[in-house]
Amino acid sequence: MATKKKSSKHISVDGLMTFGELKNGLHTADFMCGEDVKMEAYAAKCKVQVMRDGNVYVTELPKRVRNKAIFRDDNCSLSLGRDGKFYFVFTLPEELVDELPEQLVSQAGAIAQKVLRNIIYKL
């Protein structure tokens, strides 16, 4: 079995970092590079750690792996999670709350029938 060696590229630049806090309580950090650097621009979801001594550590978070639906209906889906559990998700707009019980029973029943057909088909 071949193993991949992770390669990493690091660029060190000098600049000015400004910390702030918005009116809604969210924190901001802006970095202005003081050098002439050419690099590829990107946007990512990251974990940011600002330490007491002013050091800042930014680590990109891995992309979220979503469960793929096994069966779908109008407002629901059934999927198998990576944890080995089945997930039934049902969504309905708030304006249709009067239809919720009927729609939930109907669509859950339709998904259950699809599961039963799939089990019988595999036997």
Side-chain angles (χ1 to χ4, degrees):
M1 180 196 301
T3 58
K4 286 187 177 181
K5 186 176 182 181
K6 290 186 178 182
S7 64
S8 61
K9 298 179 189 176
H10 295 279
I11 300 172
S12 295
V13 295
D14 289 324
L16 177 68
M17 181 163 278
T18 307
F19 299 100
E21 187 172 344
L22 302 174
K23 290 180 182 177
N24 61 4
L26 297 176
H27 295 89
T28 64
D30 297 316
F31 179 78
M32 293 182 58
C33 183
E35 300 178 28
D36 199 20
V37 178
K38 299 289 183 203
M39 60 183 286
E40 185 179 335
Y42 68 93
K45 291 189 178 195
C46 299
K47 173 185 175 184
V48 178
Q49 290 180 284
V50 179
M51 309 309 275
R52 289 185 178 142
D53 61 1
N55 289 336
V56 178
Y57 303 100
V58 181
T59 307
E60 185 175 0
L61 296 173
K63 293 192 185 323
R64 177 180 168 194
V65 179
R66 296 181 180 262
N67 297 333
K68 292 185 179 162
I70 300 170
F71 298 111
R72 290 183 184 273
D73 210 330
D74 294 339
N75 301 315
C76 64
S77 67
L78 179 74
S79 60
L80 179 61
R82 291 184 312 277
D83 58 1
K85 296 179 182 177
F86 285 98
Y87 290 88
F88 177 79
V89 177
F90 178 80
T91 57
L92 195 67
E94 187 176 3
E95 306 86 53
L96 302 176
V97 68
D98 294 338
E99 300 176 25
L100 185 120
E102 179 184 324
Q103 290 290 324
L104 180 58
V105 169
S106 156
Q107 292 182 27
I111 294 288
Q113 289 297 322
K114 290 177 182 181
V115 171
L116 281 174
R117 279 194 299 262
N118 195 12
I119 291 172
I120 291 171
Y121 179 73
K122 286 183 178 179
L123 295 176

